[in-house]
Amino acid sequence: PEALKANGYVTGMWGKWHSGMATAYFPWERGFDEAFAANLYQHQNPKGLLNGQPVERQGWTDSLIVEDAIRFIERHRQTDRPYFAFLPFLAPHT
């Protein structure tokens, strides 16, 4: 995402984040403009971090992140900027 952002992309990520949950490694510190890092293996009513802020959500995690990505795409598809939407789903671990 850092390389894409440097080339004018708007970037978003929703789902599991296995690249570090510590300062300098969170998705919003690695090039994502918008990110929901869900707690791992919590497939329903997830908790996590949305752009660095703790959140609790209601519903199936994978359904929620798809809805997040759809809203992101709808917001950015009418602009002149390209976008990148990354959805690392939790369900494959089940």
Side-chain angles (χ1 to χ4, degrees):
E2 292 170 331
L4 292 170
K5 191 171 181 174
N7 284 286
Y9 280 72
V10 179
T11 56
M13 173 269 170
W14 310 268
K16 66 178 182 165
W17 181 254
H18 276 299
S19 296
M21 292 294 276
T23 302
Y25 293 97
F26 290 107
W28 43 89
E29 297 172 320
R30 307 307 288 173
F32 285 106
D33 297 303
E34 178 180 321
F36 172 63
N39 288 357
L40 299 177
Y41 313 111
Q42 192 173 355
H43 300 284
Q44 191 173 13
N45 302 329
K47 295 178 183 175
L49 297 171
L50 177 62
N51 301 325
Q53 300 301 312
V55 296
E56 294 185 29
R57 302 179 72 186
Q58 298 299 307
W60 290 99
T61 305
D62 284 353
S63 295
L64 294 168
I65 66 174
V66 167
E67 291 169 7
D68 292 340
I70 289 169
R71 283 191 299 271
F72 175 85
I73 291 167
E74 288 174 346
R75 282 195 316 270
H76 296 290
R77 69 180 177 174
Q78 302 297 326
T79 70
D80 292 335
R81 291 180 69 189
Y83 58 86
F84 172 70
F86 177 52
L87 285 88
F89 291 98
L90 277 74
H93 285 292
T94 302

